[in-house]
């Protein structure tokens, strides 16, 4: 099953996604069994981030080839992790399928995409076993971890390099019936393949992270866990970037300069 959040009549609504239509739902399918309120042609859907998480967890340096690449660039943090450690991102950075990634006017240097698998948590968890962690994943979606590398190197934290508005496209929907770790992740810019890799070729898988996180933190329904990427590629205004994970879907976003947005609220 595929679930999404869409804008209908200026209102954010949950939806069940079909081949041609989306069924508008009375509430979140993560915790309830919502009623169908209406139907919208899929072509008319305005896609929102498929979930707004209570907590936005994010993994870094979780693919061996990414670690090797970062080490060649001289990154002192580029070592194979000995245990699954997680970080956090900000919800303001989230944007949906087909909405613009906005490069801030102040950004110079490398502006990059990273294609990521995202786990969506479906139940409250504390001190989960691996089996409980696996059972707690409601479904899977697609993320694009956009980064401003100059800011990343200038700042003590990732507060603006990875958390600026629109830097975390996610969507287009949540797929509940897929073996996510058996898929292939593909990154395209303007239709050209820039990277492709086995989605499950991770140092630690999502269930390792959920077990570790819930030793200390209670995970809640709707929390998301972004799983890192094997490869990155440069983005420039005018590009269209696509992240496809087979069996889940394709997330597509145009890239724009901030000046093209006018006076955003």
């Amino acid at each position: 099953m595929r679930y999404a959040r869409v804008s209908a009549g200026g209102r954010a609504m949950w939806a069940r996604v079909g081949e041609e239509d989306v069924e508008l739902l009375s509430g979140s399918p993560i915790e309830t069994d919502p009623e169908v309120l209406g139907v919208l042609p899929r072509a008319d859907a305005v896609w929102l981030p498929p979930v707004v998480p209570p907590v936005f967890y994010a993994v870094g340096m979780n693919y061996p080839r990414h670690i090797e690449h970062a080490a060649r660039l001289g990154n002192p943090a580029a070592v194979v992790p000995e245990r699954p450690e997680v970080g956090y991102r900000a919800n303001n950075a989230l944007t949906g399928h087909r909405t613009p990634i906005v490069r801030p006017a102040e950004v110079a240097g490398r502006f990059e995409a990273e294609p990521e698998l995202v786990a969506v948590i479906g139940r409250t968890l504390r001190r989960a076993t691996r089996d409980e962690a696996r059972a707690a994943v409601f479904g899977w979606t697609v993320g694009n971890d956009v980064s401003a590398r100059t800011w990343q190197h200038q700042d003590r934290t990732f507060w603006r390099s990875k958390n600026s508005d629109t830097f975390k496209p996610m969507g287009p929907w949540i797929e509940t019936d897929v073996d996510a770790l058996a898929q292939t992740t593909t990154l395209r810019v303007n239709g050209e393949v820039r990277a492709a890799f086995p989605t499950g070729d991770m140092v630690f898988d999502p269930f390792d992270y959920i077990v570790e996180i819930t030793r200390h933190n209670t995970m809640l329904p709707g929390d998301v866990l972004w799983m890192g990427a094997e490869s990155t590629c440069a983005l420039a205004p005018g590009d269209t970037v696509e992240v496809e994970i087979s069996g889940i879907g394709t997330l597509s976003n145009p890239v724009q300069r901030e000046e093209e947005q006018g006076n955003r609220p």
Side-chain angles (χ1 to χ4, degrees):
M1 197 72 69
R2 290 174 172 175
Y3 293 101
R5 289 173 63 254
V6 300
S7 179
R11 177 184 168 197
M13 298 187 69
W14 279 93
R16 184 183 295 118
V17 182
E19 292 301 319
E20 296 183 0
D21 300 316
V22 297
E23 297 177 330
L24 302 176
L25 303 177
S26 60
S28 167
I30 296 177
E31 299 180 81
T32 63
D33 185 15
E35 298 178 359
V36 176
L37 301 180
V39 178
L40 181 73
R42 181 163 152 176
D44 295 341
V46 177
W47 305 97
L48 303 173
V51 64
V52 178
V55 182
F56 186 160
Y57 295 97
V59 172
M61 296 292 181
N62 195 36
Y63 282 80
R65 286 184 59 186
H66 190 181
I67 296 168
E68 292 168 8
H69 175 71
R72 287 196 299 270
L73 294 177
N75 184 342
V79 295
V80 176
E82 296 182 357
R83 60 190 178 93
E85 296 183 70
V86 74
Y88 301 90
R89 299 291 178 263
N91 282 351
N92 68 276
L94 290 169
T95 195
H97 176 53
R98 295 180 179 162
T99 59
I101 298 165
V102 181
R103 190 183 75 176
E106 302 94 333
V107 165
R110 290 159 53 209
F111 189 64
E112 295 185 336
E114 297 183 38
E116 304 204 11
L117 174 68
V118 181
V120 181
I121 302 302
R123 62 184 68 172
T124 301
L125 283 177
R126 183 74 162 94
R127 296 193 180 279
T129 66
R130 186 173 174 83
D131 286 345
E132 290 169 339
R134 187 183 295 274
V137 174
F138 173 74
W140 308 88
T141 188
V142 181
N144 183 354
D145 178 13
V146 175
S147 302
R149 300 302 187 190
T150 299
W151 284 353
Q152 186 172 336
H153 298 148
Q154 287 175 341
D155 299 341
R156 290 187 300 164
T157 70
F158 292 157
W159 74 277
R160 57 177 180 163
S161 65
K162 288 182 174 287
N163 291 313
S164 292
D165 291 352
T166 77
F167 276 24
K168 294 293 171 284
M170 184 169 68
W173 47 64
I174 302 166
E175 173 61 67
T176 63
D177 186 20
V178 65
D179 181 356
L181 300 183
Q183 306 307 313
T184 298
T185 299
T186 304
L187 175 64
R188 301 182 187 91
V189 177
N190 303 327
E192 178 184 344
V193 174
R194 298 294 181 85
F197 56 90
T199 307
D201 191 19
M202 302 172 181
V203 178
F204 296 108
D205 69 22
F207 316 115
D208 294 326
Y209 275 95
I210 292 168
V211 168
E212 182 67 15
I213 290 167
T214 61
R215 290 181 60 204
H216 310 283
N217 299 357
T218 300
M219 297 192 83
L220 301 170
D223 282 353
V224 296
L225 174 63
W226 288 44
M227 291 307 307
E230 183 182 89
S231 302
T232 70
C233 80
L235 298 177
D239 288 342
T240 296
V241 57
E242 295 178 332
V243 179
E244 178 183 0
I245 301 181
S246 59
I248 299 177
T250 300
L251 172 66
S252 178
N253 300 90
V255 183
Q256 297 182 359
R257 293 183 179 89
E258 185 175 27
E259 293 85 348
E260 296 175 9
Q261 296 297 294
N263 294 319
R264 292 184 293 127

